[in-house]
Amino acid sequence: MAEPQFYVPSRCYTAGEVATLAGAVLADEAYAGNEISNLAAAEHGGPGTLVYVEKGRHAKLLGGLIAAAVLCPAELAARVPAGIAALTTSSPALAFAQIARVLCPAAASPQAVTGETGISPAAHIAADALIEAGAIVEAGAVIGAGAAIGRGTIVGPGAVIGPGCQIGRDGYVGASTSILASLIGDRVIIHTGARIGQDGFRFMPSARGLVKMPQLGRVVIQDDVEIGANTTIDRGALSDTLIGEGTKIDNLVQLGHNVRIGRHCAIAAHVGISGSVVIGDFVMMGGLVGVADHVKIGDGVHIAAASGVMHDIPAGQKWAGLPAQPAKDWFREVNMIRKLAGNKSRKGSGDV
Amino acid sequence: MAEPQFYVPSRCYTAGEVATLAGAVLADEAYAGNEISNLAAAEHGGPGTLVYVEKGRHAKLLGGLIAAAVLCPAELAARVPAGIAALTTSSPALAFAQIARVLCPAAASPQAVTGETGISPAAHIAADALIEAGAIVEAGAVIGAGAAIGRGTIVGPGAVIGPGCQIGRDGYVGASTSILASLIGDRVIIHTGARIGQDGFRFMPSARGLVKMPQLGRVVIQDDVEIGANTTIDRGALSDTLIGEGTKIDNLVQLGHNVRIGRHCAIAAHVGISGSVVIGDFVMMGGLVGVADHVKIGDGVHIAAASGVMHDIPAGQKWAGLPAQPAKDWFREVNMIRKLAGNKSRKGSGDV
Amino acid sequence: MAEPQFYVPSRCYTAGEVATLAGAVLADEAYAGNEISNLAAAEHGGPGTLVYVEKGRHAKLLGGLIAAAVLCPAELAARVPAGIAALTTSSPALAFAQIARVLCPAAASPQAVTGETGISPAAHIAADALIEAGAIVEAGAVIGAGAAIGRGTIVGPGAVIGPGCQIGRDGYVGASTSILASLIGDRVIIHTGARIGQDGFRFMPSARGLVKMPQLGRVVIQDDVEIGANTTIDRGALSDTLIGEGTKIDNLVQLGHNVRIGRHCAIAAHVGISGSVVIGDFVMMGGLVGVADHVKIGDGVHIAAASGVMHDIPAGQKWAGLPAQPAKDWFREVNMIRKLAGNKSRKGSGDV
């Protein structure tokens, strides 16, 4: 049995076509007819592939490159080996992402597992749920009373949408996902197994043990958000948990109740954000970061992987460490300790 | 389309009624008739809301408060703005939790997704499983041979209960959860996607690679436990994994095989507890804590977020750090290092 | 109702039989007829049990041991209490694992939840999927177009196998698991709720916010791999994500796109491995370890729990700490800091 490939171009393209589609400049017209039949990473290129190469360390891959065409910055075009079409652009990775969508249209957005269209007869849908025409609801999905699903949205096999939840258009709710008490915008991608809208974690000591604070709020997710597999986002306690437009969240992330994340943030895997934390726009967090409850993080902050944030962070700063502090301070401590202990300092320890 | 609210009071209550229901004292009878139509956090109060305010930093919210009534300690009553009914009590948050259950009864316990009662015709139940009258089993749930589910318990859509498992009364097993080899008490809440009773992780090197130690034990969960979304609890290897009465566990927590947790503990998100760890009663752990295998942790221990525990901890101590040690020792080191490196010391770094 | 046990021996065995089956030496023929009706941990032994005891700290359990027979090294046989059959072997735990498989055959591999054989009528299977005779597909499972499942493999309730995926023979796909864009070998065990083959996490800043790099690769899992509950493994971006033969991965682990893990590795819970990391054979990682993207880790490396790896690690080394460095260097720093701060040094802080 042949090994399946999951996304390959639907047909061959020439380097000239790709240059046009990507808005790139073909450095040498002699290679306009180079045929592109597949996409590859530069380190795994081969005959017929389109690859991309960025400035910096990545550029050294040009030496041994095998490909039909390469998207690269203009200043690297002279280093592209003979026979390969150089397609120059200021943002090779961005151009590659764009062209991959054109060559492999199925890769541009998540697909239904079953290939079913419309509402599967094996889905379980409340009589008063509103499923807009053009939505797909796959086998085993369960949709509660009064829920609403917009057109073009895929609800995957076994996904559960609680009563009253609203999900916008052209979205994706992966297999086995559960969504409760949530309002979700358009073009939101929620990967398999994510848990959204369950109760937050607040218990108060009493003579009879821990007493639960009822969790009455919602989760509000704005347009163009992406949420990773098995990530958990708790409903608000009294107000709402909020994820701003365009923010991307990786797998296995925990967002506590009332957390408010701004727009266009990127939050890596295993991050844990405690209750009522407020995060600005364009914030980036590495993996395994923890943030203590009620902390405020300003716009554009970068937090290095595995940091433990116990204090507010002003806009624009880079922080790192446990407990977290400005990254350059933390790396100064790391290097000081290494020197004091007679240990070897390591190149790159000053990067975030 | 109007934005759905998920839990609002079923009717209006007066401040006088709420004082009686909450066991609080109405400070000024003139406000007994203030009408309460909703619940809110003090920072998001509004006309017609009931809020609560605690002592300490929280009290400053009284200044600009807008609400129909506020639960607060007696010593703050004088600072409540005119027009708002002050309902005094020694434990405002606890009183608020109690009254929220009365005003929004649906919030007092998890609800079925589909609104179905009884056993859904779309559930898959072994012929000899015992489902007590009054239990709810939702669409797509699967219940194995000889399993037993008590009255008042909800088994959510797509939840899987393995053969021989027993679940008590008035409990909740969220959507897409799986439970194997487990005995579970009454009033146990298991949120969506939790994985309970799968094999633990023990492999021994051999000439043929890693050899698995068969996992033969069970998971035993006592009454009134709550377990967070996507949390994983492995079955015992040869004895049982045990969660004591009233203990609350947050999302994405990992409990290894043979772990024994006492009563009334609170374990925050992303905590990882290795095999055969023994934890006492009333223990609290912040998020992202790791505990090495076979460690023993005494009653009433508090462990700060992101600590890595490699040693036994005597009862009553507060620990922190990586590797963890008594919290005051760890913070002494943190502050010493900051001073040595010429970095800024941060207020609050001595708190756990 | 009697408390269920999940795995007990199907009949009584004598110590003599067990010695033969385990390839162990019965130290004293007088005990050859000791009857074994159950398996236990040495600390929870009792009449009729078979237990095992290893060298080192574990050996002190021999003093108060109650059991019918004990697997132990020859040099401990003299310390086994009178009446207990000593079965000597160089690897007691390994011998115990082996004998447990014989005495409790059901424990040797995961079991179907429903006890169904063949394909459940309540499963949803694409017309052109290939389910080899002897595979089990349980209720609520969904299998996409062109997928293939080998004989002897169990696909649990609610598991979702995406279009084109191939799963080998004698494997196990637990309840509520989802598998997309993957090729999986023989005897692979995938526990409940694992997410395999969803998109990886790569976004590039642009004037219109974060732009997603399409994820076109696969997940390739070789024979005899085991993957823990709720673990997430992303598909490759342009090449494949690869897990080598015999590697064992615990619960709640995150493997980013293009990660390549070698053979016979053991990766503990909550580990997060960023994109394009390359890991050799026989590598061991403790829980909560983070590895930065593109790092290379050599054969036989051991990484202590909660370490944060930012640099390549040569083969055979033991590393620890945040940021990680050779373990002895990290513990030297820990001890130096403790001494400088006047804090207590703790026994065992030099172990990994």
Side-chain angles (χ1 to χ4, degrees):
Chain A
M1 189 151 47
E3 278 209 349
Q5 300 296 325
F6 289 88
Y7 292 128
V8 289
S10 40
R11 65 163 173 91
C12 272
Y13 287 77
T14 65
E17 276 181 286
V18 165
T20 307
L21 289 165
V25 175
L26 177 63
D28 182 345
E29 281 291 336
Y31 299 130
N34 280 15
E35 289 211 329
I36 293 167
S37 57
N38 210 347
L39 300 159
E43 54 269 59
H44 302 115
T49 59
L50 173 69
V51 305
Y52 70 95
V53 168
E54 299 275 11
K55 271 179 287 196
R57 284 185 303 171
H58 203 203
K60 70 170 189 288
L61 294 169
L62 281 174
L65 186 66
I66 304 175
V70 55
L71 289 156
C72 64
E75 59 264 49
L76 293 181
R79 292 170 51 187
V80 173
I84 301 176
L87 314 178
T88 68
T89 165
S90 58
S91 303
L94 211 56
F96 188 88
Q98 198 176 334
I99 203 71
R101 281 192 178 73
V102 178
L103 271 59
C104 307
S109 57
Q111 301 293 307
V113 167
T114 56
E116 293 171 315
T117 56
I119 300 177
S120 166
H124 310 280
I125 302 181
D128 65 348
L130 295 168
I131 316 291
E132 202 176 7
I136 294 174
V137 182
E138 298 198 72
V142 177
I143 299 184
I149 312 288
R151 121 186 131 219
T153 287
I154 299 169
V155 177
V160 174
I161 314 292
C165 289
Q166 297 181 359
I167 301 180
R169 292 175 170 172
D170 298 317
Y172 170 76
V173 177
S176 302
T177 296
S178 49
I179 299 181
L180 306 171
S182 299
L183 306 183
I184 297 178
D186 294 335
R187 294 173 305 279
V188 171
I189 293 175
I190 300 175
H191 289 287
T192 50
R195 309 293 160 200
I196 301 181
Q198 59 285 339
D199 286 351
F201 193 74
R202 170 124 193 251
F203 298 90
M204 291 151 297
S206 83
R208 291 168 299 127
L210 295 164
V211 173
K212 179 170 180 167
M213 177 64 79
Q215 304 290 302
L216 311 174
R218 307 175 299 187
V219 176
V220 176
I221 299 180
Q222 296 182 348
D223 294 343
D224 297 301
V225 166
E226 185 158 342
I227 293 170
N230 283 349
T231 278
T232 58
I233 304 178
D234 291 340
R235 68 190 299 176
L238 288 165
S239 52
D240 294 332
T241 302
L242 175 66
I243 316 289
E245 185 187 334
T247 283
K248 314 297 184 185
I249 296 173
D250 201 353
N251 300 342
L252 293 170
V253 168
Q254 151 71 1
L255 304 183
H257 51 195
N258 308 330
V259 164
R260 299 174 78 86
I261 300 186
R263 298 176 307 126
H264 308 300
C265 298
I267 313 278
H270 280 131
V271 165
I273 301 186
S274 305
S276 302
V277 166
V278 178
I279 296 176
D281 299 335
F282 302 102
V283 169
M284 297 183 69
M285 294 193 189
L288 287 156
V289 166
V291 183
D293 57 307
H294 292 277
V295 161
K296 287 180 177 48
I297 296 177
D299 292 345
V301 165
H302 287 208
I303 304 177
S307 302
V309 180
M310 300 171 60
H311 298 92
D312 294 353
I313 305 183
Q317 298 198 355
K318 291 183 199 299
W319 278 42
L322 182 63
Q325 56 183 324
K328 66 181 191 318
D329 293 350
W330 187 59
F331 285 107
R332 186 185 303 130
E333 293 182 6
V334 166
N335 288 323
M336 175 196 77
I337 292 168
R338 294 207 164 167
K339 189 176 282 187
L340 278 174
N343 287 338
K344 180 182 163 191
S345 185
R346 265 157 231 287
K347 182 178 137 232
S349 296
D351 303 339
V352 176
Chain B
M1 189 152 48
E3 277 209 351
Q5 300 295 325
F6 290 87
Y7 293 129
V8 290
S10 40
R11 65 166 173 87
C12 272
Y13 287 76
T14 66
E17 275 181 290
V18 165
T20 306
L21 289 165
V25 175
L26 178 63
D28 182 342
E29 279 293 336
Y31 300 131
N34 280 17
E35 290 212 328
I36 292 165
S37 57
N38 211 345
L39 300 159
E43 54 270 58
H44 301 116
T49 60
L50 172 69
V51 304
Y52 71 94
V53 168
E54 299 274 11
K55 272 178 288 196
R57 283 184 304 170
H58 203 204
K60 68 169 193 286
L61 293 169
L62 281 172
L65 186 66
I66 304 173
V70 55
L71 288 155
C72 65
E75 60 264 47
L76 294 181
R79 292 167 53 185
V80 173
I84 301 176
L87 313 178
T88 68
T89 166
S90 57
S91 304
L94 211 53
F96 187 88
Q98 198 175 335
I99 202 72
R101 281 191 179 73
V102 178
L103 271 60
C104 308
S109 57
Q111 302 292 306
V113 167
T114 55
E116 293 171 316
T117 56
I119 299 176
S120 165
H124 310 280
I125 302 181
D128 65 347
L130 295 169
I131 315 291
E132 205 178 6
I136 294 173
V137 182
E138 298 198 72
V142 176
I143 299 184
I149 312 288
R151 118 187 135 218
T153 288
I154 298 169
V155 177
V160 174
I161 314 293
C165 290
Q166 297 181 0
I167 301 181
R169 291 174 169 172
D170 298 317
Y172 169 76
V173 178
S176 300
T177 295
S178 49
I179 299 181
L180 305 171
S182 298
L183 306 182
I184 296 178
D186 294 335
R187 296 174 303 280
V188 171
I189 294 174
I190 300 175
H191 288 288
T192 49
R195 308 292 160 201
I196 300 181
Q198 59 285 337
D199 285 351
F201 192 76
R202 172 124 192 253
F203 297 90
M204 289 151 299
S206 84
R208 290 167 299 129
L210 295 163
V211 173
K212 179 171 179 167
M213 176 65 78
Q215 304 290 301
L216 309 174
R218 307 175 301 187
V219 176
V220 176
I221 299 181
Q222 297 183 345
D223 295 343
D224 298 301
V225 165
E226 185 158 342
I227 293 170
N230 282 352
T231 278
T232 57
I233 304 179
D234 291 341
R235 68 188 302 176
L238 287 165
S239 52
D240 294 331
T241 301
L242 175 66
I243 316 289
E245 186 187 332
T247 283
K248 314 298 185 186
I249 296 173
D250 201 352
N251 300 341
L252 293 171
V253 169
Q254 151 71 0
L255 305 183
H257 52 193
N258 309 330
V259 165
R260 299 174 77 87
I261 301 187
R263 298 174 308 125
H264 308 300
C265 298
I267 312 278
H270 279 131
V271 165
I273 301 186
S274 305
S276 302
V277 166
V278 178
I279 297 176
D281 300 334
F282 301 103
V283 169
M284 298 183 70
M285 293 191 192
L288 286 158
V289 166
V291 183
D293 57 308
H294 291 91
V295 160
K296 288 179 176 48
I297 296 177
D299 292 344
V301 164
H302 287 207
I303 303 177
S307 302
V309 180
M310 298 170 63
H311 298 91
D312 294 352
I313 305 183
Q317 299 199 355
K318 291 184 201 298
W319 278 44
L322 183 62
Q325 55 182 325
K328 65 179 194 319
D329 293 350
W330 188 59
F331 285 109
R332 184 184 306 129
E333 292 181 4
V334 166
N335 289 321
M336 175 194 78
I337 292 167
R338 294 207 164 166
K339 188 176 283 185
L340 279 175
N343 287 338
K344 181 181 163 190
S345 184
R346 267 156 229 287
K347 184 177 135 233
S349 294
D351 303 338
V352 177
Chain C
M1 189 151 47
E3 276 208 351
Q5 301 296 326
F6 290 86
Y7 292 128
V8 290
S10 41
R11 64 165 174 91
C12 273
Y13 287 76
T14 64
E17 276 181 288
V18 165
T20 306
L21 289 165
V25 175
L26 178 63
D28 183 344
E29 278 293 334
Y31 300 131
N34 279 16
E35 289 211 331
I36 292 165
S37 57
N38 210 345
L39 300 159
E43 54 269 58
H44 301 115
T49 59
L50 172 69
V51 305
Y52 71 95
V53 168
E54 298 275 10
K55 272 178 287 194
R57 284 184 305 171
H58 203 204
K60 70 170 190 286
L61 294 168
L62 281 174
L65 185 66
I66 304 175
V70 55
L71 289 155
C72 65
E75 59 264 46
L76 293 180
R79 292 168 53 185
V80 173
I84 300 175
L87 313 179
T88 68
T89 166
S90 57
S91 304
L94 210 55
F96 187 88
Q98 198 176 334
I99 203 72
R101 281 191 178 75
V102 178
L103 272 58
C104 307
S109 57
Q111 302 292 307
V113 167
T114 55
E116 292 170 316
T117 55
I119 298 176
S120 166
H124 310 281
I125 302 181
D128 65 348
L130 294 169
I131 316 291
E132 203 178 6
I136 295 174
V137 182
E138 299 198 72
V142 176
I143 299 183
I149 313 288
R151 121 189 131 215
T153 287
I154 298 169
V155 177
V160 174
I161 313 293
C165 290
Q166 297 180 0
I167 301 182
R169 291 175 170 173
D170 299 315
Y172 170 76
V173 178
S176 302
T177 296
S178 49
I179 298 180
L180 305 171
S182 298
L183 305 184
I184 297 178
D186 294 334
R187 295 174 305 279
V188 171
I189 294 175
I190 301 175
H191 288 287
T192 50
R195 308 293 160 202
I196 300 181
Q198 58 285 339
D199 284 352
F201 192 76
R202 171 122 193 253
F203 297 91
M204 289 150 299
S206 83
R208 293 165 298 127
L210 295 163
V211 172
K212 179 172 181 165
M213 177 64 77
Q215 303 290 300
L216 310 175
R218 308 174 299 185
V219 175
V220 176
I221 299 181
Q222 297 182 346
D223 295 342
D224 298 300
V225 166
E226 184 158 342
I227 294 170
N230 282 350
T231 278
T232 57
I233 303 178
D234 290 342
R235 69 188 301 175
L238 286 166
S239 51
D240 295 330
T241 302
L242 175 66
I243 317 289
E245 185 186 334
T247 283
K248 313 299 183 183
I249 296 174
D250 201 354
N251 301 339
L252 294 169
V253 168
Q254 153 72 2
L255 304 183
H257 52 194
N258 308 334
V259 165
R260 299 174 78 88
I261 301 187
R263 298 175 308 127
H264 308 299
C265 297
I267 313 277
H270 279 131
V271 165
I273 301 187
S274 304
S276 302
V277 166
V278 178
I279 296 176
D281 299 334
F282 302 103
V283 169
M284 299 184 68
M285 293 192 189
L288 287 156
V289 165
V291 183
D293 57 307
H294 293 276
V295 161
K296 287 179 177 46
I297 296 178
D299 291 344
V301 165
H302 287 209
I303 303 177
S307 302
V309 180
M310 299 170 63
H311 298 91
D312 294 352
I313 306 183
Q317 298 199 355
K318 292 183 198 300
W319 278 44
L322 184 61
Q325 55 182 324
K328 64 179 194 319
D329 293 349
W330 188 58
F331 285 110
R332 185 184 304 130
E333 292 181 5
V334 167
N335 289 322
M336 176 196 77
I337 292 167
R338 293 206 166 167
K339 188 176 280 187
L340 278 174
N343 287 337
K344 180 180 161 191
S345 185
R346 268 158 228 286
K347 182 177 137 235
S349 294
D351 303 339
V352 177

